[in-house]
Amino acid sequence: MKMNDRYKAIIRELEMKNKIGVADIAIKLNVTPETIRKDLSALEEKKKLRRIHGGAIQYFGVIKEPHFNKKVGIFHPQKKMIGEAAATFIMDGDLVALDVGTTTFQIASAIKDVTNVTIVTNSLAAAELLNSRIENRLFDGKVIVLGGISNPLQRSISGSITNKLLEQFYFDKAFISCGGINKEGICDFNVEEATASSIMMKRSKQIIVAADSSKLNQRALFHIGPFSAIDYLITDQKMPADWSKDPVFGQVDWITVGDANES
C-alpha cells in the first residue's frame, strides 16, 4: 500500500473509532508497526491527528474543545479505570470538589460504599449521575450543584457566580480533570472552567488530578495549576522517563492504572 493510501486508511479508521492503536493498524494495513508510527508522526505534523501512547486520536487543536458527548467515547476504558482508582480516595464524611470532564464523570460513576459525603460540582452530567447513585443507595451523601452560566455542549456551569460560590468552601479533596499536562502543570481549553478548577485546587487540602495519557505533553490554552500544587496524578501511562529526572515532578505521587506497556 502506498503512503498516501495508508494515510487515507488511517484517517478513515479514526473517523470511525476516534482512537486507533499502532499494532491494530499495522496488522490491518499489512505493514510494520514502525511504518505506522512514522505515518502517525507525519499525519500529526499535518494536524490530521494527535499522537498518544501506543496510537493516535482525532486532532482537536488547542482552541476548540470537542463536545462532552463526543469526548465520552474517546479513551473510555482508560477513563473508566482512572475514575475507579480515583473514587477509592473518597472516605466517609469527605467534602469533595469535582470539576467538569469526562474523566471526573467516571469518578462520579464509581463512587460507592461511603457515607455522609458531600460533593460540590459544576458538572451537570456528574450531578445527574451522582443523584441517581444516591437514590439507588450506592453511596450516602448529597450533591451541591454550583450556580452560574450553563454550557450545554460541555454540560457544565461556570462564570463569575460559580467562582464566587467556590470561594466559600473548604474542601477535603478536589478531583481535577484537564485538557493538557506538561512541565508547567495542567491546563484546559475553557478559561472559565479552568478558573473554577483552579479555585477548587486552592480551596482543597488534597488535590487529585485524573487524566488519560492522551493529555501528556499536551498544551491547552489556559493554565489551571502547577505541579507543585498536585498531590496525586492518576493516569494510564507511567511517568515519561525524562520527566522522572525533573525535580518539578518529585512531589507528585504518580499512579498508573491498567497496562502501561508500550504498544
Side-chain angles (χ1 to χ4, degrees):
M1 183 178 285
K2 295 180 180 179
M3 181 175 64
N4 285 337
D5 291 333
R6 292 198 309 272
Y7 289 178
K8 291 177 183 177
I10 289 169
I11 296 301
R12 280 198 301 270
E13 284 291 304
L14 269 177
E15 288 174 349
M16 290 187 292
K17 299 181 179 178
N18 296 321
K19 172 179 175 279
I20 57 173
V22 169
D24 292 339
I25 293 296
I27 292 170
K28 186 163 188 174
L29 301 186
N30 195 28
V31 295
T32 66
E34 182 58 30
T35 296
I36 295 300
R37 290 189 184 96
K38 290 179 181 178
D39 288 346
L40 296 182
S41 295
L43 287 168
E44 184 175 47
E45 288 182 6
K46 297 174 184 290
K47 297 187 176 180
K48 300 295 184 181
L49 53 77
R50 183 199 285 182
R51 291 281 278 118
I52 60 170
H53 179 70
I57 60 174
Q58 291 190 46
Y59 177 80
F60 296 115
V62 296
I63 298 176
K64 185 178 179 182
E65 183 179 16
H67 297 179
F68 182 90
N69 291 340
K70 179 79 170 177
K71 292 187 294 181
V72 165
I74 300 172
F75 241 47
H76 179 264
Q78 289 80 4
K79 291 175 180 176
K80 188 172 185 297
M81 288 189 293
I82 293 166
E84 289 171 350
T88 64
F89 280 77
I90 299 175
M91 301 291 142
D92 294 349
D94 274 349
L95 177 56
V96 172
L98 189 71
D99 79 353
V100 175
T102 52
T103 306
T104 44
F105 178 76
Q106 292 299 327
I107 298 173
S109 73
I111 299 173
K112 61 182 180 180
D113 301 331
V114 287
T115 62
N116 193 30
V117 172
T118 301
I119 301 169
V120 178
T121 186
N122 59 332
S123 169
L124 294 172
E128 183 179 2
L129 178 58
L130 289 164
N131 280 324
S132 175
R133 293 181 68 80
I134 291 171
E135 184 180 356
N136 289 303
R137 300 184 179 180
L138 295 172
F139 76 95
D140 169 69
K142 61 184 176 183
V143 179
I144 298 175
V145 183
L146 294 163
I149 300 170
S150 67
N151 180 339
L153 297 181
Q154 298 302 330
R155 300 178 68 184
S156 66
I157 299 287
S158 61
S160 59
I161 296 173
T162 310
N163 299 338
K164 287 179 181 178
L165 290 170
L166 278 170
E167 293 284 2
Q168 309 307 310
F169 288 94
Y170 291 104
F171 301 109
D172 295 303
K173 288 153 190 167
F175 292 89
I176 306 297
S177 60
C178 61
I181 302 172
N182 52 66
K183 291 187 178 182
E184 285 72 44
I186 58 174
C187 47
D188 210 355
F189 298 93
N190 181 288
V191 63
E192 298 289 359
E193 291 176 9
T195 301
S197 297
S198 181
I199 296 171
M200 288 179 181
M201 290 176 66
K202 291 173 183 175
R203 305 294 292 179
S204 181
K205 295 177 185 176
Q206 192 175 71
I207 298 161
I208 301 100
V209 172
D212 67 76
S213 57
S214 70
K215 309 302 192 304
L216 301 181
N217 278 315
Q218 301 298 328
R219 189 185 303 276
L221 282 177
F222 303 105
H223 183 71
I224 296 175
F227 260 92
S228 59
I230 300 168
D231 296 296
Y232 298 91
L233 191 152
I234 307 175
T235 186
D236 56 294
Q237 181 180 324
K238 294 178 182 177
M239 183 184 291
D242 59 325
W243 288 20
S244 62
K245 300 173 184 177
D246 194 319
V248 72
F249 302 105
Q251 302 301 314
V252 181
D253 194 338
W254 190 288
I255 299 173
T256 307
V257 300
D259 183 2
N261 295 326
E262 184 74 41
S263 298

